[in-house]
Amino acid sequence: MPVLATRLSAAAEAAFGTSYDPELRAATKPEFGHYQSNLALRIGNALKQPPREVAARLLEDLHVSDLCEQPSVAGPGFINLTLLPQTLAKAVNEPETFARNGQRVVVDYSQPNVAKQMHVGHLRSTVIGDALCNVLAYVGYDVIRQNHVGDWGTQYGMMIEQLLEEGRSAESLDLEGLQQLYERSRKHFDADGAFADKSRLRVVELQSGDPETLASWQHMVDVSMDDFEKVYALLGSALTRNDVVGESAYNDDLPQIVDELDHDGLLTESDGAMCAFLPGFLGRDGSPLPVIVRKSDGGFGYSATDLAAVRHRVNALHANRIVYVVDHRQALHFDMIFTLARTAGWLPTTTPAEHVSFGTVLGPNGKPFKTRAGGTVKLVELLNSAVARADSLLEGREGVDRAATARAVGIGAVKYADLSSDRGNDYVFDLDRMVAMTGNTGPYLQYAHARLTRLLSKADASAEITELKDPAEQRLALLLTGFAATVAQVAETLQPHRLCTYLYDVASALSTFYEQCPVLGSEGATRASRIALCTATRKVLQDGLGLLGIEAPDAM
């Protein structure tokens, strides 16, 4: 609670002449009150004074009688604070809000490849990216979504060259046909050195603007974009075609990227390629690792386009913060790209560039999720399976739009399972667990929201919480006051699982509240206050799920 933190900091300054962050934390046990601070322990350690004596001095200068019961000191010097019921009620009735902060953040996520169907590997980037964009916008950022689609490079050279050898036209192929073309050309490329050389030269033709090559490439892009939009619609992603800024968008900038780096003495020719060798980046054998900016055949790799993207986002989009949601295998690549961009002066030290890495989606066997045949799992098939599983659970339920609810529950279950674990960890894709109505799952939170909606439909509207007598009421209200702080923490750390944990705690506290505090069965001021508490809880669940990109059905 900000006002408590401010009062504690002021007490520290009055008692010891220095302002400290009180680091208020929610108490771990009811007997410790609502909040605890280790401020006295930290000050005592710094000043070489007994923490309990420091705590006593702090309490002499701490003026919180209008907010709390009498503070107490516990253990080696922890300060315990218990909010007055009216303080809790006021905090829930008047929740914290965020103003525009004047900062612009560019979020790079999803990044499917043209001519390939989106697979389970794209799930995490898209789901995490959408959630982070929602959270960053909520706390006041101007958010620009960027879908850095892989639409440039060697694979298009080899696919177009394969078409020419087969005497076929790209216009005759749908996405499935393009996927098969890629697989044929990949095998040909790996087995035939002459074909590989022609494919690389075709890439140079593409990057140089050869009309015939560009026409084939454009068809591949158009077919792919149509399919991507269908998958995003099923997933409920906010990404649109307007957010797509693929590798190809930076093609005209690439020669200048090389020229500027070369002019600044940052490039070295190595076997015909133009490379940057940055201090501190070494291979396993201890040899310097290069950032290959221009290849020996004159073509450009994704390091060049990533550098151009950084420069564009700073200079043209005026980003104050840049976020990349890409799997953990690219950690070294982005470390090198950010270092080179800063060295070149394209990425100011005042503009953070953050790689939001994430782990792998695993199958039940604990290995990367694959089809029975060993191929990658198509994302649309996976999502349809989740919707079908949710639909089967809704059989026989009355008063629900079964199709819409199945979609909301199935897609929501997949998203929540992805977001609720620390993004750095791998997780097992288990549909049965995901769609369960109990435990820390999306459907459990959705059901809590739907149950509140049903209850409130039977009650008269009540604007304000006026009393919080029962401990279960106070516990729920205390959690509700933490919504803004939790969202702000996610915006800072870029860890959406923290919001999932918070929402699950709210839903669990709501369940205890239901058991111990009758709502519609209460009377007078108690009934009205509990209805208001339910209304506030419903809003937090709805807003929180919305930030995660998950629908909150009114009935389930």
Side-chain angles (χ1 to χ4, degrees):
M1 180 169 281
V3 65
L4 270 184
T6 300
R7 300 271 183 98
L8 266 171
S9 184
E13 188 164 9
F16 299 100
T18 304
S19 178
Y20 288 84
D21 179 358
E23 296 184 9
L24 272 179
R25 299 286 185 269
T28 55
K29 295 181 180 180
E31 58 265 32
F32 297 148
H34 294 141
Y35 291 102
Q36 283 188 306
S37 174
N38 65 357
L39 179 59
L41 281 77
R42 288 184 284 119
I43 293 176
N45 183 59
L47 301 181
K48 309 300 183 185
Q49 296 181 16
R52 286 190 67 92
E53 292 182 12
V54 171
R57 288 181 60 189
L58 283 171
L59 294 191
E60 289 177 5
D61 289 290
L62 180 62
H63 305 292
V64 290
S65 60
D66 59 325
L67 302 174
C68 300
E69 297 177 5
Q70 180 63 38
S72 62
V73 179
F78 290 103
I79 296 174
N80 295 342
L81 299 159
T82 301
L83 297 177
L84 296 169
Q86 57 266 35
T87 304
L88 265 177
K90 186 175 188 295
V92 179
N93 291 333
E94 302 172 8
E96 293 179 59
T97 58
F98 296 93
R100 306 306 298 174
N101 62 19
Q103 298 289 296
R104 174 171 288 179
V105 59
V106 173
V107 183
D108 179 335
Y109 70 107
S110 193
Q111 309 115 357
N113 289 315
V114 161
K116 295 180 184 178
Q117 292 179 306
M118 291 179 70
H119 54 76
V120 67
H122 297 114
L123 173 68
R124 301 212 70 184
S125 179
T126 307
V127 169
I128 294 170
D130 268 330
L132 292 180
C133 285
N134 295 338
V135 165
L136 290 165
Y138 188 87
V139 302
Y141 281 94
D142 174 21
V143 176
I144 297 181
R145 301 168 189 255
Q146 298 274 272
N147 191 354
H148 192 78
V149 169
D151 63 354
W152 216 233
T154 302
Q155 76 176 63
Y156 305 102
M158 68 188 191
M159 291 172 69
I160 294 169
E161 199 63 34
Q162 183 74 27
L163 280 173
L164 291 172
E165 291 210 359
E166 294 175 355
R168 302 179 66 192
S169 167
E171 282 71 18
S172 64
L173 300 177
D174 59 10
L175 190 58
E176 183 69 31
L178 290 174
Q179 180 103 29
Q180 293 170 3
L181 171 66
Y182 169 77
E183 293 166 0
R184 293 197 305 276
S185 64
R186 180 82 256 178
K187 290 178 181 177
H188 196 174
F189 184 91
D190 292 339
D192 185 342
F195 177 78
D197 288 340
K198 288 193 291 184
S199 297
R200 294 188 185 99
L201 290 175
R202 181 61 57 182
V203 176
V204 178
E205 290 289 305
L206 174 62
Q207 294 176 340
S208 300
D210 174 65
E212 182 182 0
T213 304
L214 273 176
S216 295
W217 168 81
Q218 188 63 57
H219 176 76
M220 295 179 183
V221 171
D222 292 340
V223 170
S224 302
M225 292 300 172
D226 289 342
D227 192 77
F228 296 161
E229 286 189 326
K230 293 175 184 177
V231 177
Y232 291 141
L234 177 59
L235 190 57
S237 171
L239 283 172
T240 69
R241 195 170 296 210
N242 291 334
D243 300 315
V244 172
V245 186
E247 294 174 342
S248 61
Y250 304 105
N251 185 57
D252 293 344
D253 298 333
L254 303 185
Q256 187 178 359
I257 291 289
V258 175
D259 290 344
E260 289 188 22
L261 291 175
D262 193 31
H263 179 269
D264 291 341
L266 296 173
L267 294 184
T268 301
E269 185 176 342
S270 177
D271 294 328
M274 297 299 287
C275 305
F277 292 93
L278 302 167
F281 291 97
L282 303 174
R284 292 182 179 178
D285 60 356
S287 61
L289 277 178
V291 178
I292 302 175
V293 183
R294 189 178 67 201
K295 296 184 288 186
S296 58
D297 60 10
F300 300 93
Y302 57 84
S303 289
T305 55
D306 280 341
L307 287 166
V310 169
R311 195 173 68 161
H312 175 77
R313 290 163 184 178
V314 172
N315 293 342
L317 300 183
H318 308 295
N320 304 107
R321 183 181 186 184
I322 309 175
V323 173
Y324 291 75
V325 187
V326 187
D327 79 73
H328 62 90
R329 293 172 298 178
Q330 299 299 316
L332 177 60
H333 168 74
F334 282 114
D335 193 5
M336 296 175 76
I337 291 297
F338 297 157
T339 300
L340 181 53
R342 291 202 191 281
T343 304
W346 298 334
L347 183 60
T349 55
T350 54
T351 303
E354 300 158 271
H355 175 208
V356 176
S357 64
F358 52 83
T360 304
V361 181
L362 305 177
N365 59 0
K367 296 180 180 179
F369 201 34
K370 300 284 186 180
T371 63
R372 290 183 179 178
T376 55
V377 179
K378 296 173 184 175
L379 183 51
V380 68
E381 293 178 357
L382 180 146
L383 296 175
N384 284 333
S385 296
V387 173
R389 187 69 58 89
D391 182 71
S392 66
L393 296 176
L394 294 171
E395 186 174 356
R397 297 194 180 225
E398 298 180 357
V400 299
D401 181 337
R402 183 166 166 177
T405 304
R407 181 186 176 282
V409 172
I411 300 299
V414 171
K415 288 186 174 184
Y416 190 83
D418 194 295
L419 295 167
S420 59
S421 62
D422 187 316
R423 57 174 168 75
N425 298 334
D426 300 339
Y427 78 94
V428 175
F429 193 91
D430 181 348
L431 270 182
D432 288 334
R433 179 183 60 82
M434 290 176 177
V435 301
M437 300 290 287
T438 58
N440 188 12
T441 68
Y444 175 70
L445 296 182
Q446 289 172 315
Y447 180 71
H449 173 270
R451 188 178 179 188
L452 279 170
T453 301
R454 185 172 65 251
L455 181 150
L456 291 170
S457 71
K458 301 174 183 178
D460 296 329
S462 181
E464 287 196 344
I465 301 164
T466 56
E467 60 179 53
L468 293 167
K469 297 178 180 178
D470 192 283
E473 289 178 300
Q474 295 183 13
R475 167 65 179 161
L476 179 56
L478 181 64
L479 279 168
L480 296 183
T481 67
F483 179 65
T486 300
V487 176
Q489 186 183 54
V490 174
E492 179 183 352
T493 64
L494 305 178
Q495 294 177 325
H497 76 276
R498 296 174 183 266
L499 178 56
C500 295
T501 300
Y502 166 80
L503 293 175
Y504 177 65
D505 287 344
V506 169
S508 299
L510 175 66
S511 181
T512 302
F513 166 76
Y514 276 139
E515 293 172 4
Q516 300 181 11
C517 303
V519 179
L520 299 181
S522 300
E523 297 180 350
T526 299
R527 185 179 194 271
S529 185
R530 288 177 177 173
I531 289 170
L533 180 60
C534 287
T535 301
T537 306
R538 179 181 182 272
K539 178 170 174 52
V540 163
L541 288 173
Q542 185 177 54
D543 289 353
L545 287 169
L547 291 177
L548 297 173
I550 296 172
E551 291 184 49
D554 287 341
M556 284 176 62

